[in-house]
Amino acid sequence: MNAPAAGFIGQSVKRKEDYRFLTGNGQYTDDVVLPGQTYASFVRSPYAHARIRGIDTSAARAATGVVAVFTGADLAAVGGLPCGWLITSTDGTPMKEPKHALLAEDKARHVGDQVAVVIADTPANAKAAAALVEVDYEELTPVVDPATAKGAAGVVHDMAPDNVCYTWAIGDKAATDAQFAAAHHVTRLEFRNNRLIPNAIEPRAANAAYNRSDDSWTVYVANQNPHVERLLMAAFVLGIPEHKLKIIAPDVGGGFGSKIFLYAEETVLVWASKKINRPIKWTAERSESFLTDAHGRDHVTVAELAMDKNGTFLGMRVDTTANLGAYLSTFASSVPTILYATLLAGQYTTPKIHCQVTGVFTNTAPVDAYRGAGRPEATYVVERLVETAAKEMGIDPAEIRRRNFIRSFPYPTPVGLTYDVGDYEAHLARAQALADVAGFAQRKAASAAKGLLRGIGYSCYIEACGLAPSNIAGALGARAGLFEAGEVRVHPTGKVTVFTGSHSHGQGHETTFAQVVADKLGIPIDDIDIVHGDTGKILFGMGTYGSRSLAVGGTAIVKAVDKIVAKGKKIAAHLLEAADTDIEFENGVFKVSGTDRNVPFASVALTAYVPHNYPLDKLEPGLNENAFYDPTNFTYPSGSYVCEVEVDPETGVVRVDRFTAVDDFGNIINPMIVEGQVHGGLAQGLGQALLEHGVYDSDSGQLLSGSYMDYAMPRADDLPSFTVETMKGTPCSHNPLGVKGCGEAGAIGSPAALINAVCDALGVKDVPMPATPHTVWKALQQRGA
């Protein structure tokens, strides 16, 4: 890694951060122990819906080691957790935003809702004392199923008596209906996109400390966007000066979206730390994570696709009911609307699309962004419709896609987005070749000889990521900007520290960002450190989610590097006694154009900090620059996936035999890291399609899949050896790196591919997710009947 840096972009450099992780030197929030440390345990509701008639904390207060006990009454004057995206209903009214209290005040609204907090000198004493808190509950009728939540007997929030948060729509309904009226064929599907529970390897955790000497707080927290956490907590909930609150997100063991949000637990700790003047730590037990981490997906959808006699798409109609859970989480309102319905065009030239989304409250854990966030749900709608339509019309599934692909760019879709570039035919053709689609009939016959059913399924996805631009997001209801910040600090010896508002929790930013800077400055990658996650050190940034880190955060860094080079040329011009317009910079060397006179980057850096004989009237000392970047459009990764399954008709067991993924991510910085991201996304997407399901009891609202005994995570033997290829593809047209984003693609494209393959094997129209043995066996019996 100490070789000259030029050409680092596009190389599979081993991850710089892995050494500390593999040697046990990572520092996670739970590793932080502060002087005078205390520990919190939360008292949680055992009921899905219950009125709180009284809380007796006397026994807990008297218990061994207890420092304090607080209930909702103590925090009643404190603001509730805010939602960061305003959705306006079709009638022009804003969405319903009931207070999300830090500790439940009048009612508990889902199993696990926090009712009180006990703070003690050890985790064991805190947990033991929490068990002594007596809560007098009046159990109420819970609302569980989103399909029946509207107008249900139970009412989650009084301000939404019909349990509807909003009814939102996009597209031209009248024009879409007219397309259907003229259609030769209409394909219709009804299905659910199953609820998922994130299960990051590191549970949520926080450690909050108050400093009486300057009236400030420091919070260590497992979080994906520290500045957003600070802004929301300080300004919108606790009412404390933002600059008095420092958020540090150290090493974070995965997030998948679930650590984007501001949660009650860390906010309670900040509030309480001043009350007791001691630091307070809380680390979730896995059972708490199941109950209280924001869940994902959970849509009930009716979707229709209209076609002419040749299979040309004429229109699409979608009606979705989205489960928002008991409260509006930080970005919950935007996921089933802005991040979902705007992607319903897929890769196709469907001229008219209309989608209506009804967001409903239920007595379940809040639902928010989970890897892909709206894009997997949209892709599932589009690709299940397309595959089913092909079967109904007797057209090859790949052929019907080819007949409808977008081929001219930029392309404005009927649901509000404009795709800048793409070549969908190229990755479909490559996926078919790698998957050996031509040999499928022979493999199907071989499976049949063994008494097994074999099926093949396609999924051609597109996603909008690199989340931004702020002006478009603001017009759609975002209550925050979606820019990113970067600072490049060159030290006197020419070594470099990069500060980024993006946050790494498994993505490998410390490597990929260093590769970009090494390539641009022509210095060794080991001369570059990447710093993130500390609001006391970095510029205000928006964090990591929506596959935005390199496209948005990386571009901010590039713009800061450009400023470094520009100033470096002026310093070099002074040293070389030339005009700065004659200075070129390449491979770490400033030189006078057309000559061999040059000066290395390190010498320029030293001169910046030792400005002897330096034109101080024209140049400031130092070599430190920063930049903010707000893109002009989303980026649009796309790809084609082909899945082959074998099904045992006697048991319903599905075995994924082959899975081929070909993606267009634009330019690639580190192919190894990209491949790892795709593998991880495929595992999560296939996990949803085959195994994972967050299930609540329909009568009591109890979470039935609240542990790994009941919630089936994919294991190595559930997955095949993936065939993954990233095409050179079509570089993004509006960022200088030409990158698009890769972190969510696998989870977006894979569920539909697998279910399409299962339906093909069984010869049925639909199989619900997850395609468990029991579900598949039932589908076979119904087909036989």
Side-chain angles (χ1 to χ4, degrees):
M1 277 212 285
N2 286 304
F8 257 115
I9 287 180
Q11 302 301 311
S12 292
V13 176
K14 291 183 179 179
R15 295 189 357 149
K16 295 179 66 176
E17 50 269 70
D18 283 352
Y19 180 80
R20 75 170 183 274
F21 295 138
L22 293 172
T23 56
N25 289 306
Q27 186 184 59
Y28 298 87
T29 298
D30 191 59
D31 294 325
V32 177
V33 179
L34 302 172
Q37 186 72 67
T38 65
Y39 301 85
S41 179
F42 286 87
V43 179
R44 300 189 182 276
S45 171
Y47 299 106
H49 197 195
R51 183 168 287 108
I52 300 171
R53 295 191 293 203
I55 304 176
D56 184 354
T57 62
S58 56
R61 293 178 189 277
T64 301
V66 170
V67 177
V69 181
F70 299 107
T71 68
D74 298 303
L75 287 96
V78 177
L81 299 177
C83 181
W85 206 295
L86 173 66
I87 295 297
T88 301
S89 287
T90 52
D91 63 3
T93 59
M95 66 187 187
K96 304 294 194 304
E97 293 187 76
K99 182 180 180 181
H100 185 177
L102 301 184
L103 296 175
E105 296 169 1
D106 56 338
K107 292 199 302 183
R109 291 181 169 86
H110 67 91
V111 175
D113 206 355
Q114 55 276 355
V115 175
V117 62
V118 176
I119 302 164
D121 58 350
T122 69
N125 283 341
K127 186 174 182 178
L132 300 177
V133 175
E134 295 185 4
V135 184
D136 181 11
Y137 293 103
E138 175 191 347
E139 192 171 2
L140 304 172
T141 302
V143 180
V144 180
D145 187 349
T148 57
K150 183 177 180 178
V155 176
V156 182
H157 295 282
D158 292 343
M159 73 179 303
D162 59 355
N163 296 316
V164 174
C165 177
Y166 56 74
T167 300
W168 175 91
I170 192 170
D172 187 330
K173 185 178 189 304
T176 304
D177 289 345
Q179 294 289 90
F180 274 80
H184 172 77
H185 180 81
V186 174
T187 292
R188 187 176 192 273
L189 286 171
E190 298 182 28
F191 48 76
R192 294 194 178 212
N193 204 292
N194 44 318
R195 176 181 281 241
L196 302 177
I197 301 175
N199 286 297
I201 193 169
E202 178 206 20
R204 287 192 294 120
N207 195 343
Y210 174 69
N211 187 335
R212 183 170 289 178
S213 67
D214 62 357
D215 192 31
S216 68
W217 291 259
T218 298
V219 186
Y220 296 85
V221 62
N223 182 267
Q224 297 177 216
N225 45 356
H227 273 109
V228 175
E229 170 109 349
R230 183 180 75 166
L231 175 64
L232 295 178
M233 186 187 294
F236 294 95
V237 184
L238 298 179
I240 61 179
E242 183 183 3
H243 70 288
K244 291 291 188 178
L245 176 62
K246 180 163 74 170
I247 302 291
I248 300 173
D251 290 324
V252 173
F256 312 116
S258 68
K259 292 174 183 170
I260 296 172
F261 322 120
L262 178 64
Y263 285 94
E265 289 88 351
E266 60 254 32
T267 313
V268 169
L269 265 56
V270 173
W271 178 88
S273 66
K274 183 173 182 178
K275 297 293 182 183
I276 69 170
N277 196 32
R278 290 175 65 180
I280 311 169
K281 182 196 289 190
W282 169 78
T283 301
E285 296 182 353
R286 186 57 66 177
S287 59
E288 288 182 289
S289 297
F290 272 97
L291 290 171
T292 65
D293 286 4
H295 294 179
R297 316 292 192 249
D298 209 355
H299 288 190
V300 181
T301 294
V302 177
E304 298 174 290
L305 180 64
M307 290 154 287
D308 69 12
K309 62 181 181 180
N310 298 315
T312 301
F313 303 160
L314 303 177
M316 183 185 294
R317 289 191 297 220
V318 179
D319 191 312
T320 293
T321 299
N323 192 349
L324 301 173
Y327 305 101
L328 283 174
S329 180
T330 307
F331 292 112
S333 55
S334 66
V335 174
T337 51
I338 306 305
L339 298 180
Y340 164 65
T342 57
L343 270 300
L344 288 172
Q347 299 181 6
Y348 311 110
T349 57
T350 312
K352 300 296 177 183
I353 300 173
H354 181 264
C355 177
Q356 178 172 291
V357 179
T358 304
V360 296
F361 293 113
T362 63
N363 293 115
T364 63
V367 180
D368 208 318
Y370 173 73
R371 197 170 191 169
R375 283 71 56 85
E377 297 94 311
T379 296
Y380 193 77
V381 169
V382 174
E383 291 304 293
R384 286 290 296 115
L385 277 175
V386 170
E387 194 97 351
T388 305
K391 298 296 176 65
E392 290 179 348
M393 294 195 71
I395 303 172
D396 178 79
E399 174 58 27
I400 200 171
R401 288 174 167 87
R402 288 189 167 97
R403 292 182 188 181
N404 291 280
F405 274 154
I406 298 164
R407 298 181 185 275
S408 177
F409 296 89
Y411 179 83
T413 75
V415 279
L417 300 180
T418 298
Y419 303 162
D420 61 335
V421 292
D423 187 349
Y424 310 140
E425 166 62 35
H427 49 65
L428 176 57
R430 182 59 178 158
Q432 287 186 293
L434 287 175
D436 185 25
V437 171
F440 172 72
Q442 184 177 354
R443 294 190 295 276
K444 184 178 179 72
S447 295
K450 297 184 292 184
L452 302 174
L453 306 173
R454 180 175 285 264
I456 189 169
Y458 291 85
S459 177
C460 296
Y461 78 90
I462 189 168
E463 59 166 321
C465 62
L467 289 186
S470 295
N471 58 347
I472 293 178
L476 295 173
R479 288 166 165 166
L482 288 172
F483 55 85
E484 197 48 84
E487 178 183 357
V488 177
R489 184 178 301 171
V490 181
H491 303 288
T493 57
K495 313 302 183 185
V496 175
T497 302
V498 177
F499 300 85
T500 174
S502 300
H503 185 274
S504 182
H505 40 279
Q507 291 87 350
H509 293 170
E510 293 176 38
T511 303
T512 52
F513 285 177
Q515 284 181 255
V516 169
V517 175
D519 193 272
K520 297 295 183 182
L521 292 180
I523 62 177
I525 195 170
D526 285 341
D527 286 358
I528 302 164
D529 284 336
I530 308 296
V531 177
H532 61 90
D534 186 339
T535 62
K537 295 180 179 178
I538 59 178
L539 299 169
F540 191 103
M542 298 306 296
T544 293
Y545 44 86
S547 299
R548 71 192 302 270
S549 294
L550 199 55
V552 188
T555 298
I557 292 169
V558 168
K559 288 184 172 293
V561 169
D562 289 343
K563 293 180 181 180
I564 293 287
V565 172
K567 184 173 182 180
K569 285 182 177 181
K570 294 179 180 180
I571 298 171
H574 167 69
L575 293 174
L576 296 169
E577 299 180 339
D580 57 7
T581 54
D582 291 333
I583 301 298
E584 299 175 350
F585 181 67
E586 187 177 6
N587 295 331
V589 175
F590 294 92
K591 66 177 181 178
V592 180
S593 179
T595 75
D596 60 358
R597 295 164 55 211
N598 65 78
V599 59
F601 178 78
S603 295
V604 168
L606 183 61
T607 301
Y609 289 97
V610 187
H612 299 166
N613 190 28
Y614 191 84
L616 292 172
D617 57 327
K618 298 179 182 179
L619 282 173
E620 293 180 354
L623 199 53
N624 185 72
E625 299 287 351
N626 62 62
F628 288 81
Y629 174 65
D630 200 328
T632 57
N633 195 358
F634 300 100
T635 64
Y636 298 99
S638 61
S640 294
Y641 292 174
V642 183
C643 179
E644 271 189 50
V645 299
E646 273 192 333
V647 180
D648 185 339
E650 297 297 321
T651 63
V653 171
V654 176
R655 183 178 70 87
V656 184
D657 183 56
R658 295 171 170 226
F659 199 100
T660 302
V662 178
D663 298 285
D664 175 1
F665 297 136
N667 293 335
I668 302 298
I669 304 300
N670 188 312
M672 178 190 69
I673 288 178
V674 168
E675 184 174 353
Q677 288 286 308
V678 173
H679 276 238
L682 292 176
Q684 285 183 277
L686 295 177
Q688 173 178 12
L690 271 181
L691 301 161
E692 300 182 47
H693 195 187
V695 180
Y696 285 88
D697 182 83
S698 59
D699 295 323
S700 68
Q702 293 292 325
L703 181 64
L704 302 180
S705 53
S707 76
Y708 292 131
M709 295 294 290
D710 307 294
Y711 187 88
M713 297 276 281
R715 301 183 302 185
D717 60 354
D718 293 311
L719 305 172
S721 179
F722 300 128
T723 300
V724 173
E725 183 171 294
T726 302
M727 297 182 61
K728 290 186 177 179
T730 53
C732 175
S733 64
H734 55 79
N735 69 60
L737 292 169
V739 296
K740 294 184 179 181
C742 68
E744 296 166 299
I748 290 169
S750 56
L754 186 139
I755 296 299
N756 285 338
V758 172
C759 290
D760 182 59
L762 273 56
V764 299
K765 185 173 182 177
D766 191 37
V767 173
M769 289 195 294
T772 62
H774 180 248
T775 298
V776 172
W777 184 85
K778 277 175 52 180
L780 282 165
Q781 306 316 302
Q782 291 165 0
R783 184 194 70 173

